[in-house]
Amino acid sequence: MAMPLAHDDLGRGAPWVLLHGFPLTRELWAPQQALAARARLVLPDMRGFGATGGAGPTSMEQMARDVLALCDGLGLARFGLAGLSMGGYVALALHRMAPGRVGALVLADTQAGADTDEARAKREALAKRVEDQGVEVLVRDFAPKLLSDAGLEHKALVQQEHAMVRANQPAAMAAALRAMGARQDQRPHLAAIRCPTLCLVGERDAVTPVERHEEMLQALPRGRLVVLPGAGHLSNLEAPDAFNERLGAFMAEVEPHLRSAPVLRPS
Ligand code: MLT
């Protein structure tokens, strides 16, 4: 069953749903709230995260169903969808389940492939440590990977990141780690994504590097790639002006398409 998602619903215009990454919350999108001047932004805390809370996800598809139910409740038949990292995994799952609902897609600092066995085993070990010792394990051992070296020098940015991690509960973060470890390989599905798709990635993204986005680009029928100079994995936080400029331009470009496209309901 879908879980009601705590969310912000800001601005007016063509609707965009922005999905945050792990182990964060919708606060990730604080710098993108400026884009509410040109679009309607729906920013959920996903199952297990932030003010939504709960037991945590068992799959990316379960999180996608929550997002679809939220959009149903808001009357959004068709919308732009942007996901950063884990949010991108959920966005790809959602598109696969309900392609007619997504009029334009942004895949930011993410990847389409599944985990290797080794990566899955590492996630399981981390999940156990989080269950035993709490989310400080993520603050200490996971959060630093999400920023570039320059980003790590930026105290306010690091504090902002840590505050998001600490807004989450250990059991839910362990569940999310396991759900990411079990996620499907979405690469065979990329060729079926017919909507305009923007891949955005920080030049210094160490978690889902530029090459992963180049691979996606090869398979996406209507894809394009923008690399944000100097930024790490959380490119929207580290390079907010460049990120907003690119995302805002894409929003403006696809707006007529979002407004005029035929409405398809999920089965
Ligand atoms: C994220 O930023 O959402 C995570 O780092 C993604 C992952 O661990 O695969």
Side-chain angles (χ1 to χ4, degrees):
M1 216 175 96
M3 175 177 270
L5 302 180
H7 63 278
D8 294 313
D9 186 351
L10 309 169
R12 295 175 66 177
W16 276 85
V17 182
L18 275 52
L19 305 179
H20 63 79
F22 172 91
L24 308 170
T25 69
R26 68 189 198 267
E27 286 300 312
L28 175 69
W29 300 114
Q32 280 64 54
Q33 291 192 8
L35 294 170
R38 68 162 68 227
R40 179 177 176 187
L41 302 181
V42 176
L43 314 175
D45 275 338
M46 286 195 277
R47 176 185 289 251
F49 292 81
T52 295
T58 57
S59 68
M60 299 300 106
E61 286 71 21
Q62 190 183 42
M63 284 197 257
R65 278 191 288 274
D66 294 337
V67 174
L68 279 169
L70 173 66
C71 293
D72 288 346
L74 295 172
L76 307 181
R78 197 160 200 197
F79 46 86
L81 182 63
L84 187 138
S85 200
M86 180 192 73
Y89 308 160
V90 176
L92 286 170
L94 190 156
H95 184 280
R96 194 166 176 175
M97 290 163 60
R101 303 290 295 271
V102 183
L105 186 61
V106 176
L107 299 171
D109 300 279
T110 190
Q111 58 192 337
D115 272 10
T116 60
D117 289 346
E118 189 190 347
R120 198 172 304 118
K122 278 192 185 155
R123 285 206 204 269
E124 178 55 34
L126 183 58
K128 288 208 170 88
R129 288 175 56 223
V130 171
E131 282 169 333
D132 290 349
Q133 298 166 43
V135 294
E136 285 310 307
V137 169
L138 296 171
V139 169
R140 200 175 56 234
D141 298 344
F142 193 87
K145 290 195 295 191
L146 306 183
L147 297 174
S148 68
D149 288 346
L152 288 170
E153 298 295 318
H154 195 318
K155 250 193 178 158
L157 193 66
V158 172
Q159 278 168 0
Q160 200 182 347
E161 187 202 28
H162 289 180
M164 285 188 271
V165 181
R166 290 182 175 128
N168 294 318
Q169 297 302 316
M173 293 306 96
L177 280 163
R178 292 184 176 115
M180 285 195 289
R183 76 184 187 279
Q184 293 184 32
D185 183 358
Q186 301 286 5
R187 288 173 299 182
H189 172 64
L190 293 176
I193 300 180
R194 300 281 159 195
C195 65
T197 306
L198 172 65
C199 298
L200 267 177
V201 58
E203 179 191 22
R204 299 190 193 283
D205 184 338
V207 180
T208 50
V210 174
E211 305 84 82
R212 301 278 166 88
H213 299 75
E214 288 168 347
E215 281 161 26
M216 291 195 287
L217 194 66
Q218 301 258 322
L220 286 165
R222 297 179 69 189
R224 77 191 71 164
L225 171 63
V226 171
V227 179
L228 300 173
H233 184 60
L234 302 184
S235 63
N236 72 308
L237 277 188
E238 282 200 38
D241 293 344
F243 191 100
N244 285 2
E245 191 187 321
R246 296 307 192 137
L247 178 56
F250 186 64
M251 284 173 163
E253 184 189 321
V254 300
E255 186 180 339
H257 180 68
L258 284 182
R259 284 185 184 282
S260 64
V263 170
L264 297 177
R265 287 273 172 194
S267 52

